[in-house]
Amino acid sequence: MAAPRLSLGPLKEPLGLMRALQWFFSIFAFATCGGFEGSVTYRVTCEGRENHTVTATFGYPFRLNHAVFQPSLTHLCNHTWPKDVHLVGDFSSAARFFVGVAVAAFLYSLGALGGYLGYLQVYRCAGSRLPLMDLVASGLVAALWLVASSAWAQALGHVRAAAGAPLPHCPSPTASCARTALTAMGGLGASVAFGFLNLVLWAGGSWFVYKETPLHRPAPPPGPTPAPM
């Protein structure tokens, strides 16, 4: 294996710069989605009794049907609720897929950038298959970003609707249930935006990888033929 020749020169070229941007913005994608924690709070007023506040906490991976309101509603309003009340919906598939793609993109862009910085002479040598492999991988990651971002954008709409829905099984006039607090989900909206930004970066970066492949670079012309004697 060839010895590495560390050089920061690739960072000044579109090939290396795009990898650095892909690495940087993939961090924001999985951090804004995977690091989210929120809650929804309701004030429950029972007829002729004091008010109570119940809260359900939720976050990544957004299995809302596991988020239980606390303290238990079964003890309120003369046992109006026969069992614990959960939020509705399981959106873990889309959320985990999105974060998984972000982590994979982070690792690949970091590895590819390290390869450019240390082994660019091997990457660009005649007959190297590395650019073609890099192109296939880049196109695959771009496609995954498209699918993951679209799926997560749709799931996020359902998360917002489920978290903002009225408290289930709140009978009137026996009890009244008013939502008093709901964590803002602007960070989750930003995760969708970062997802589509990463899609643009990977699709655009694929063009610069393509320019390194034999598909774009013409084969070197044959050497001069010797003159007949």
Side-chain angles (χ1 to χ4, degrees):
M1 184 176 180
R5 300 177 187 174
L6 183 61
S7 172
L8 298 180
L11 288 175
K12 301 176 183 178
E13 301 179 24
L15 182 68
L17 180 60
M18 290 298 290
R19 285 290 184 238
L21 291 174
Q22 291 162 1
W23 170 79
F24 181 74
F25 284 105
S26 65
I27 298 175
F28 286 92
F30 66 73
T32 50
C33 179
F36 178 84
E37 290 186 0
S39 63
V40 55
T41 301
Y42 285 86
R43 184 181 68 251
V44 179
T45 304
C46 305
E47 186 177 11
R49 303 189 182 190
E50 63 178 336
N51 297 340
H52 298 275
T53 299
V54 294
T55 301
T57 302
F58 60 95
Y60 178 82
F62 302 99
R63 288 177 172 164
L64 269 61
N65 55 346
H66 289 184
V68 182
F69 282 95
Q70 298 291 340
S72 177
L73 285 161
T74 58
H75 303 299
L76 304 183
C77 300
N78 196 24
H79 305 290
T80 296
W81 289 270
K83 57 183 180 180
D84 285 330
V85 177
H86 303 69
L87 293 175
V88 179
D90 182 353
F91 310 102
S92 59
S93 297
R96 285 181 168 176
F97 181 45
F98 180 83
V99 171
V101 170
V103 172
F106 168 82
L107 294 175
Y108 184 81
S109 57
L110 182 61
L113 182 59
Y116 299 159
L117 296 179
Y119 296 95
L120 191 63
Q121 75 282 0
V122 177
Y123 185 86
R124 287 177 170 168
C125 71
S128 174
R129 296 183 179 180
L130 291 175
L132 277 174
M133 296 168 60
D134 197 15
L135 177 62
V136 172
S138 298
L140 176 61
V141 175
L144 288 174
W145 271 121
L146 173 61
V147 176
S149 300
S150 300
W152 173 231
Q154 183 180 29
L156 177 56
H158 296 314
V159 169
R160 284 173 166 161
L167 186 67
H169 315 302
C170 186
S172 180
T174 306
S176 63
C177 309
R179 190 176 72 234
T180 58
L182 175 61
T183 303
M185 299 186 193
L188 293 180
S191 70
V192 174
F194 282 124
F196 284 107
L197 174 60
N198 276 283
L199 166 62
V200 173
L201 289 174
W202 280 86
S206 296
W207 165 251
F208 297 109
V209 177
Y210 168 74
K211 292 175 69 175
E212 299 291 331
T213 67
L215 302 176
H216 180 267
R217 288 185 171 183
T225 56
M229 297 297 292

